[in-house]
Amino acid sequence: MDCLFCKILDKEIPADIVYEDDQVIAFRDINPQAPSHLLVIPRQHIATSNDIQDADCELVGRMHLVAAKLARQEGFADSGYRTVMNCQEAAGQTVFHIHLHVLGGKPLGWPPYTERPKTAI
Ligand code: 5GP
Ligand code: ZN
């Protein structure tokens, strides 16, 4: 399967890995949108949020637990941070292996989106 994040999991492509266990790993985003921008991904290949099954609920919960632990480690658990999972093209998903963005280290605006040209969707 030609999946960038599976390649990072298999160590075929290098990444700045900050956390690993038997179910999930986390690494720094190559194009950070905040002073700290981490991606938490499952070892299991799941393409989008739409593909999450009942049997994956614990795994997805673990992704959130790891995100919170990493936020504590990065020093912004108490001040605040954001977790985001983009689903499909219109939401900006570009890598089709689910990943939880963990963004922090500065005040984050809300709403988070910017208008995209209608032709882009
Ligand atoms: P999406 O747009 O699918 O929600 O998020 C994909 C994220 O993966 C983007 O924030 C992008 O910067 C990041 N990304 C893309 N390619 C690589 C890579 O090779 N290494 C790392 N560490 N991050 C990547
Ligand atoms: Zn994958």
Side-chain angles (χ1 to χ4, degrees):
M1 194 190 305
D2 195 27
C3 170
L4 176 66
F5 287 175
C6 282
K7 286 180 183 157
I8 287 178
L9 280 163
D10 291 342
K11 310 274 161 77
E12 277 176 47
I13 292 177
D16 186 356
I17 295 173
V18 294
Y19 178 88
E20 278 192 87
D21 66 28
D22 59 338
Q23 293 175 70
V24 309
I25 75 162
F27 50 89
R28 295 195 187 279
D29 196 294
I30 207 167
N31 183 23
Q33 301 302 311
S36 174
H37 185 171
L38 307 174
L39 301 172
V40 181
I41 73 168
R43 289 191 184 277
Q44 183 186 334
H45 179 91
I46 300 171
T48 78
S49 291
N50 294 335
D51 302 300
I52 296 168
Q53 306 295 313
D54 283 349
D56 306 323
C57 286
E58 201 177 320
L59 177 61
V60 174
R62 177 146 201 89
M63 291 168 69
H64 282 271
L65 187 65
V66 168
K69 283 182 196 221
L70 291 172
R72 172 78 49 206
Q73 212 168 283
E74 293 286 296
F76 47 70
D78 293 330
S79 56
Y81 62 99
R82 181 169 298 151
T83 54
V84 177
M85 193 181 288
N86 296 323
C87 183
Q88 300 284 28
E89 286 89 345
Q93 186 176 6
T94 57
V95 179
F96 287 80
H97 178 133
I98 59 166
H99 45 282
L100 195 58
H101 294 261
V102 184
L103 299 135
K106 69 169 185 183
L108 301 167
W110 189 264
Y113 52 81
T114 50
E115 282 293 330
R116 295 169 66 199
K118 293 220 174 352
T119 51
I121 302 173

PDB file of all heavy atoms in Angstrom, residues 1 3-7 9 43-46 96-97, ligand 2:
ATOM      1  N   MET A   1       0.853  -1.195   0.000  1.00  0.00           N
ATOM      2  CA  MET A   1       0.000   0.000   0.000  1.00  0.00           C
ATOM      3  C   MET A   1       0.890   1.246   0.000  1.00  0.00           C
ATOM      4  O   MET A   1       1.866   1.293   0.752  1.00  0.00           O
ATOM      5  CB  MET A   1      -0.892  -0.019   1.234  1.00  0.00           C
ATOM      6  CG  MET A   1      -2.032   0.971   1.179  1.00  0.00           C
ATOM      7  SD  MET A   1      -2.839   1.072   2.751  1.00  0.00           S
ATOM      8  CE  MET A   1      -3.255  -0.630   3.042  1.00  0.00           C
ATOM      9  N   CYS A   3       1.261   4.298   1.287  1.00  0.00           N
ATOM     10  CA  CYS A   3       0.772   5.225   2.321  1.00  0.00           C
ATOM     11  C   CYS A   3       1.971   5.829   3.044  1.00  0.00           C
ATOM     12  O   CYS A   3       2.794   5.119   3.622  1.00  0.00           O
ATOM     13  CB  CYS A   3      -0.142   4.486   3.303  1.00  0.00           C
ATOM     14  SG  CYS A   3      -0.538   5.480   4.757  1.00  0.00           S
ATOM     15  N   LEU A   4       2.047   7.159   2.992  1.00  0.00           N
ATOM     16  CA  LEU A   4       3.167   7.883   3.597  1.00  0.00           C
ATOM     17  C   LEU A   4       3.321   7.547   5.084  1.00  0.00           C
ATOM     18  O   LEU A   4       4.436   7.312   5.571  1.00  0.00           O
ATOM     19  CB  LEU A   4       2.927   9.384   3.409  1.00  0.00           C
ATOM     20  CG  LEU A   4       3.925  10.342   4.032  1.00  0.00           C
ATOM     21  CD1 LEU A   4       5.283  10.213   3.372  1.00  0.00           C
ATOM     22  CD2 LEU A   4       3.431  11.769   3.947  1.00  0.00           C
ATOM     23  N   PHE A   5       2.213   7.521   5.825  1.00  0.00           N
ATOM     24  CA  PHE A   5       2.326   7.301   7.270  1.00  0.00           C
ATOM     25  C   PHE A   5       2.640   5.839   7.583  1.00  0.00           C
ATOM     26  O   PHE A   5       3.306   5.568   8.589  1.00  0.00           O
ATOM     27  CB  PHE A   5       1.083   7.809   7.994  1.00  0.00           C
ATOM     28  CG  PHE A   5       1.010   9.329   8.068  1.00  0.00           C
ATOM     29  CD1 PHE A   5      -0.107   9.967   8.595  1.00  0.00           C
ATOM     30  CD2 PHE A   5       2.067  10.119   7.631  1.00  0.00           C
ATOM     31  CE1 PHE A   5      -0.167  11.362   8.664  1.00  0.00           C
ATOM     32  CE2 PHE A   5       2.020  11.509   7.685  1.00  0.00           C
ATOM     33  CZ  PHE A   5       0.891  12.140   8.209  1.00  0.00           C
ATOM     34  N   CYS A   6       2.202   4.890   6.751  1.00  0.00           N
ATOM     35  CA  CYS A   6       2.644   3.498   6.938  1.00  0.00           C
ATOM     36  C   CYS A   6       4.150   3.404   6.726  1.00  0.00           C
ATOM     37  O   CYS A   6       4.838   2.659   7.424  1.00  0.00           O
ATOM     38  CB  CYS A   6       1.893   2.558   6.005  1.00  0.00           C
ATOM     39  SG  CYS A   6       0.218   2.149   6.564  1.00  0.00           S
ATOM     40  N   LYS A   7       4.668   4.204   5.790  1.00  0.00           N
ATOM     41  CA  LYS A   7       6.118   4.209   5.540  1.00  0.00           C
ATOM     42  C   LYS A   7       6.869   4.795   6.732  1.00  0.00           C
ATOM     43  O   LYS A   7       7.957   4.328   7.081  1.00  0.00           O
ATOM     44  CB  LYS A   7       6.444   4.987   4.269  1.00  0.00           C
ATOM     45  CG  LYS A   7       6.066   4.191   3.021  1.00  0.00           C
ATOM     46  CD  LYS A   7       6.384   4.947   1.754  1.00  0.00           C
ATOM     47  CE  LYS A   7       5.924   4.127   0.555  1.00  0.00           C
ATOM     48  NZ  LYS A   7       5.694   4.940  -0.628  1.00  0.00           N
ATOM     49  N   LEU A   9       5.748   4.590   9.793  1.00  0.00           N
ATOM     50  CA  LEU A   9       5.629   3.505  10.795  1.00  0.00           C
ATOM     51  C   LEU A   9       6.678   2.423  10.561  1.00  0.00           C
ATOM     52  O   LEU A   9       7.248   1.887  11.516  1.00  0.00           O
ATOM     53  CB  LEU A   9       4.236   2.870  10.704  1.00  0.00           C
ATOM     54  CG  LEU A   9       3.111   3.633  11.396  1.00  0.00           C
ATOM     55  CD1 LEU A   9       1.761   3.153  10.885  1.00  0.00           C
ATOM     56  CD2 LEU A   9       3.191   3.457  12.896  1.00  0.00           C
ATOM     57  N   ARG A  43      -1.065   2.475  14.500  1.00  0.00           N
ATOM     58  CA  ARG A  43      -0.265   1.555  13.673  1.00  0.00           C
ATOM     59  C   ARG A  43      -1.138   0.899  12.614  1.00  0.00           C
ATOM     60  O   ARG A  43      -0.671   0.566  11.525  1.00  0.00           O
ATOM     61  CB  ARG A  43       0.391   0.485  14.559  1.00  0.00           C
ATOM     62  CG  ARG A  43       1.505   1.040  15.430  1.00  0.00           C
ATOM     63  CD  ARG A  43       2.320  -0.048  16.098  1.00  0.00           C
ATOM     64  NE  ARG A  43       3.317   0.534  16.989  1.00  0.00           N
ATOM     65  CZ  ARG A  43       4.511   0.983  16.604  1.00  0.00           C
ATOM     66  NH1 ARG A  43       4.886   0.889  15.345  1.00  0.00           N
ATOM     67  NH2 ARG A  43       5.344   1.515  17.476  1.00  0.00           N
ATOM     68  N   GLN A  44      -2.399   0.729  12.950  1.00  0.00           N
ATOM     69  CA  GLN A  44      -3.352   0.142  11.995  1.00  0.00           C
ATOM     70  C   GLN A  44      -3.699   1.177  10.924  1.00  0.00           C
ATOM     71  O   GLN A  44      -3.976   2.339  11.248  1.00  0.00           O
ATOM     72  CB  GLN A  44      -4.614  -0.243  12.777  1.00  0.00           C
ATOM     73  CG  GLN A  44      -5.687  -0.933  11.969  1.00  0.00           C
ATOM     74  CD  GLN A  44      -6.942  -1.134  12.816  1.00  0.00           C
ATOM     75  OE1 GLN A  44      -6.872  -1.204  14.038  1.00  0.00           O
ATOM     76  NE2 GLN A  44      -8.084  -1.196  12.158  1.00  0.00           N
ATOM     77  N   HIS A  45      -3.670   0.762   9.654  1.00  0.00           N
ATOM     78  CA  HIS A  45      -4.026   1.695   8.580  1.00  0.00           C
ATOM     79  C   HIS A  45      -5.541   1.850   8.498  1.00  0.00           C
ATOM     80  O   HIS A  45      -6.254   0.900   8.172  1.00  0.00           O
ATOM     81  CB  HIS A  45      -3.487   1.217   7.220  1.00  0.00           C
ATOM     82  CG  HIS A  45      -3.861   2.145   6.099  1.00  0.00           C
ATOM     83  ND1 HIS A  45      -3.071   3.199   5.704  1.00  0.00           N
ATOM     84  CD2 HIS A  45      -4.971   2.196   5.326  1.00  0.00           C
ATOM     85  CE1 HIS A  45      -3.680   3.858   4.722  1.00  0.00           C
ATOM     86  NE2 HIS A  45      -4.836   3.261   4.476  1.00  0.00           N
ATOM     87  N   ILE A  46      -6.017   3.050   8.818  1.00  0.00           N
ATOM     88  CA  ILE A  46      -7.435   3.415   8.663  1.00  0.00           C
ATOM     89  C   ILE A  46      -7.404   4.683   7.819  1.00  0.00           C
ATOM     90  O   ILE A  46      -6.717   5.648   8.177  1.00  0.00           O
ATOM     91  CB  ILE A  46      -8.094   3.687  10.041  1.00  0.00           C
ATOM     92  CG1 ILE A  46      -8.029   2.437  10.940  1.00  0.00           C
ATOM     93  CG2 ILE A  46      -9.539   4.163   9.864  1.00  0.00           C
ATOM     94  CD1 ILE A  46      -8.467   2.677  12.392  1.00  0.00           C
ATOM     95  N   PHE A  96      -4.089   9.943   3.714  1.00  0.00           N
ATOM     96  CA  PHE A  96      -5.263   9.100   3.968  1.00  0.00           C
ATOM     97  C   PHE A  96      -4.914   7.903   4.858  1.00  0.00           C
ATOM     98  O   PHE A  96      -5.087   6.746   4.485  1.00  0.00           O
ATOM     99  CB  PHE A  96      -5.944   8.751   2.637  1.00  0.00           C
ATOM    100  CG  PHE A  96      -6.655   9.965   2.090  1.00  0.00           C
ATOM    101  CD1 PHE A  96      -5.940  10.958   1.411  1.00  0.00           C
ATOM    102  CD2 PHE A  96      -7.998  10.185   2.345  1.00  0.00           C
ATOM    103  CE1 PHE A  96      -6.560  12.116   0.967  1.00  0.00           C
ATOM    104  CE2 PHE A  96      -8.632  11.340   1.908  1.00  0.00           C
ATOM    105  CZ  PHE A  96      -7.915  12.306   1.220  1.00  0.00           C
ATOM    106  N   HIS A  97      -4.421   8.257   6.038  1.00  0.00           N
ATOM    107  CA  HIS A  97      -4.159   7.348   7.164  1.00  0.00           C
ATOM    108  C   HIS A  97      -4.474   8.241   8.357  1.00  0.00           C
ATOM    109  O   HIS A  97      -3.781   9.262   8.547  1.00  0.00           O
ATOM    110  CB  HIS A  97      -2.698   6.895   7.134  1.00  0.00           C
ATOM    111  CG  HIS A  97      -2.277   5.988   8.258  1.00  0.00           C
ATOM    112  ND1 HIS A  97      -1.554   4.826   8.038  1.00  0.00           N
ATOM    113  CD2 HIS A  97      -2.457   6.070   9.614  1.00  0.00           C
ATOM    114  CE1 HIS A  97      -1.315   4.228   9.206  1.00  0.00           C
ATOM    115  NE2 HIS A  97      -1.845   4.970  10.174  1.00  0.00           N
TER     116      HIS A  97
HETATM  117 ZN    ZN B   2      -1.242   3.884   6.218  1.00  0.00          ZN
END
